[in-house]
Amino acid sequence: LRSSNPRLTSEMSVFQAIRASRVVPSLVPRGIAQAPLAAGPAALLRGVVSTATSSPVKLQSSQPLFSAPTLGAPMGQRHAGVSVLGCGIAMVAVGGCAQGIGQLFAALVVGMARNPSMKEDLFTYTLIGMGFLEFLAIVVILIAGILLYSE
C-alpha cells in the first residue's frame, strides 16, 4: 500500500524511522538521532536524506540486541517483595487448615449429640482427620518458608 505522492512517502519513512528508533535505539542512524524535534518534520527529512546517502548502519553479529539471563546465571538483584508476597499467599492455606479443624470438631460434637454410644469411634475418626489437616498445614508452612527464602 505505497502512495504515489513522494512527499507522503517520505513523511511515512520518517514516521517509520521514529517508530524503529523507539523499538531499537541502537540501530538509529546518527542523522535522525541528532535532528532536533522542535525544528519540525523538515529537519527529520533532512536527517533521513543525509543518512540515506551515507554509509548504512552495520550490525555486529557478536553483540546481541538484548541479553536475557540464563537459568544458571546468578541474579544481580534479589526481588524480596515477590518472595514475601508468595509466602503470604501460601499462608492462606494455613487458615484453611484451621477452618477445617474447627469444622471437624464441630462435626464431632454434633455426631456425639446425635449418637452418644459412638463417642469413641467418632473421636478416633476426628483424630485421624486432624492428623491429615495438621500434615497439610506443616507442608504449607514448609513451602511458604521455601518461597520466602528463595530468590
Side-chain angles (χ1 to χ4, degrees):
L1 297 172
R2 296 282 179 177
S3 174
S4 61
N5 187 353
R7 181 173 180 237
L8 185 61
T9 306
S10 63
E11 286 179 4
M12 290 300 289
S13 65
V14 169
F15 290 128
Q16 289 172 351
I18 291 172
R19 185 183 311 147
S21 69
R22 287 183 184 160
V23 174
V24 186
S26 64
L27 298 178
V28 176
R30 294 191 185 274
I32 296 174
Q34 295 171 353
L37 291 177
L44 288 174
L45 282 176
R46 282 193 299 269
V48 169
V49 171
S50 68
T51 56
T53 59
S54 64
S55 64
V57 178
K58 294 181 181 178
L59 288 177
Q60 296 176 356
S61 61
S62 63
Q63 296 177 349
L65 293 177
F66 64 93
S67 62
T70 60
L71 291 176
M75 292 177 53
Q77 180 181 8
R78 183 176 187 271
H79 302 287
V82 177
S83 62
V84 170
L85 185 64
C87 177
I89 291 171
M91 291 300 284
V92 172
V94 175
C97 292
Q99 182 182 6
I101 291 173
Q103 287 181 350
L104 195 65
F105 278 101
L108 172 68
V109 170
V110 169
M112 286 183 357
R114 288 183 180 213
N115 193 355
S117 64
M118 293 281 296
K119 181 177 172 180
E120 291 83 17
D121 291 336
L122 290 175
F123 189 70
T124 303
Y125 297 147
T126 302
L127 289 180
I128 291 171
M130 189 177 147
F132 282 126
L133 286 172
E134 286 293 325
F135 174 72
L136 179 63
I138 290 170
V139 168
V140 165
I141 289 171
L142 288 175
I143 291 174
I146 289 171
L147 286 175
L148 182 62
Y149 293 109
S150 66
E151 292 197 18

